Amino acid sequence: ILDRLEEQYLQVITVDELRKELLTHISHDLRTPLASLLGYLETWQLNEGNVSKADSDQYIAVAARNAQKIANLIEQLFELAHLDSGSVQVNREAFSVAELVQDVLQKFTVEADRLHVVLRVEPKDTSILVRGDIEKLERVFSNLIENALRHTQSGGSITVRLSTSGRFVAIDVSDTGIGIPKEDLPHIFDAHFKAGNSVRGNSAHGGIGLAITKKIIDLHESKISVRSEVDQGTTFSFMLPYAS
């Protein structure tokens, strides 16, 4: 009993330390957009009536973008905290994984067209059914596609491949992007981690998004893995139970 209590105590200490470390990193991430938000609003206030409407509109637009970055980061923190709470329920049902992926890709079509990146799912076979929590898995695909878009150059592509493997469906989310340095691969699912080659300052924090993704996959009693080569692309892989 004493050994078990000591183990539980050490787990609490470890989780507490991780949370403190996460808060330190997140507070740093919040400072930049917050400083920019306040700076542009103060500039707008000081110059109100003395600048053109175009300049005034630009001040407000930049302030709004930074406010959105802060809002997205806080929303992800709440989501991560909820997943860490241990009280999350997984509502499993059978559904077409290709249909879900198509719906998710549709959300990113405008951004992908702007960046000249092709999005696709292979095969477009709606008869491939999996069992899982459709709402949470939509979040997984959204996080992975958004992350891939952030690191894929113009003219590239992002492909979600589905293949049945016995009682499971194997899912690969691959991009032709800039890849992840080998030394970064073991850490990319850490909530406070941002790869050294991160590009396009995005409103979503890559580390938190991937940490959320891993926790949702863990809740489905599966594992997510990643393989990548710099300048060659990245593939995230996981499996879901096949619902025949």
Side-chain angles (χ1 to χ4, degrees), residues 146-164:
E146 184 177 42
N147 190 65
L149 264 178
R150 194 160 54 243
H151 296 95
T152 300
Q153 310 95 319
S154 177
S157 63
I158 298 169
T159 305
V160 181
R161 291 187 178 86
L162 312 172
S163 57
T164 54

Side-chain angles (χ1 to χ4, degrees), residues 4-237:
R4 190 164 70 249
L5 287 173
E6 184 179 0
E7 184 181 343
Q8 289 174 345
Y9 172 75
L10 289 174
Q11 283 179 342
V12 169
I13 294 297
T14 302
V15 169
D16 188 52
E17 287 174 350
L18 287 172
R19 282 179 177 157
K20 286 177 182 176
E21 186 180 358
L22 175 59
L23 283 172
T24 300
H25 285 272
I26 296 306
S27 62
H28 178 268
D29 282 343
L30 281 170
R31 278 196 197 106
T32 302
L34 185 58
S36 181
L37 168 63
L38 293 172
Y40 274 93
L41 286 177
E42 286 171 2
T43 302
W44 177 76
Q45 282 181 315
L46 289 171
N47 293 281
E48 189 179 9
N50 299 319
V51 295
S52 67
K53 184 178 184 304
D55 285 342
S56 180
D57 288 347
Q58 185 179 3
Y59 292 151
I60 296 301
V62 175
R65 282 199 300 273
N66 281 285
Q68 188 61 55
K69 285 183 181 180
I70 295 168
N72 289 346
L73 187 56
I74 291 170
E75 183 183 344
Q76 286 189 323
L77 281 171
F78 276 119
E79 186 175 1
L80 189 61
H82 176 60
L83 290 168
D84 269 336
S85 69
S87 61
V88 180
Q89 289 190 330
V90 179
N91 302 310
R92 290 178 172 82
E93 59 181 306
F95 64 91
S96 167
V97 64
E99 282 187 10
L100 175 61
V101 172
Q102 286 278 46
D103 289 345
V104 171
L105 294 182
Q106 192 67 37
K107 293 193 302 184
F108 294 99
T109 298
V110 173
E111 179 69 1
D113 288 346
R114 185 182 71 82
L115 298 171
H116 304 290
V117 172
V118 176
L119 304 178
R120 55 179 170 246
V121 55
E122 296 177 353
K124 295 179 181 178
D125 185 350
T126 57
S127 69
I128 300 176
L129 304 181
V130 298
R131 187 168 294 280
D133 189 315
I134 191 167
E135 184 179 331
K136 290 181 177 61
L137 290 169
E138 179 182 3
R139 185 71 166 126
V140 165
F141 285 115
S142 294
N143 284 349
L144 293 176
I145 299 299
E146 184 177 42
N147 190 65
L149 264 178
R150 194 160 54 243
H151 296 95
T152 300
Q153 310 95 319
S154 177
S157 63
I158 298 169
T159 305
V160 181
R161 291 187 178 86
L162 312 172
S163 57
T164 54
S165 175
R167 296 184 296 108
F168 295 91
V169 175
I171 300 165
D172 292 333
V173 180
S174 302
D175 64 61
T176 59
I178 60 175
I180 303 168
K182 189 174 182 180
E183 61 272 19
D184 288 348
L185 284 174
H187 310 291
I188 61 166
F189 295 110
D190 295 346
H192 56 74
F193 184 76
K194 186 174 279 189
N197 63 344
S198 287
V199 294
R200 290 186 195 142
N202 197 279
S203 57
H205 186 281
I208 296 182
L210 290 177
I212 288 170
T213 295
K214 183 180 185 303
K215 288 184 182 298
I216 292 173
I217 296 298
D218 288 346
L219 285 170
H220 282 78
E221 298 172 352
S222 184
K223 291 183 178 179
I224 187 166
S225 61
V226 59
R227 58 186 186 276
S228 184
E229 287 188 37
V230 173
D231 297 328
Q232 297 295 316
T234 301
T235 297
F236 288 89
S237 304

